Amino acid sequence: MSQVFSQETHRNLLARIPHCTGREVSDWLRTVDEGPALFRFEEKVSWLRAEHNLAYGHAKAIIHEYDLRRAARKLL
């Protein structure tokens, strides 16, 4: 994984995604879940950017959030 955002930066990016993209974060997370089975972080980011024309920071924040939530599910 390349540059890591601070928790505050991550939260701020997530908060701006609905305004900038017109879609809620939960919609984006579902899109990633239903998307191709990519394993590497940067592959997922690149796919979101290419397929949905997202800015790099937004795509990265979505994938980071997706990975955080997926890891949390495994702990339960």
Side-chain angles (χ1 to χ4, degrees):
M1 182 161 104
S2 61
Q3 173 191 5
V4 177
F5 295 137
S6 71
Q7 288 182 0
E8 181 181 1
T9 300
H10 178 67
R11 283 192 307 271
N12 289 337
L13 278 168
L14 286 180
R16 288 195 307 261
I17 286 173
H19 174 72
C20 295
T21 67
R23 292 176 62 185
E24 294 297 321
V25 172
S26 59
D27 293 338
W28 286 113
L29 297 175
R30 192 170 28 261
T31 297
V32 173
D33 199 42
E34 295 169 354
L38 302 171
F39 295 103
R40 295 184 59 223
F41 184 88
E42 286 297 330
E43 288 176 324
K44 294 175 194 175
V45 171
S46 294
W47 172 76
L48 267 183
R49 292 186 71 208
E51 194 70 24
H52 299 283
N53 198 31
L54 288 178
Y56 178 74
H58 291 145
K60 187 172 174 177
I62 290 166
I63 297 303
H64 182 64
E65 184 67 17
Y66 178 82
D67 287 347
L68 287 173
R69 291 185 186 195
R70 187 181 67 197
R73 284 193 307 256
K74 287 182 180 179
L75 293 175
L76 297 177

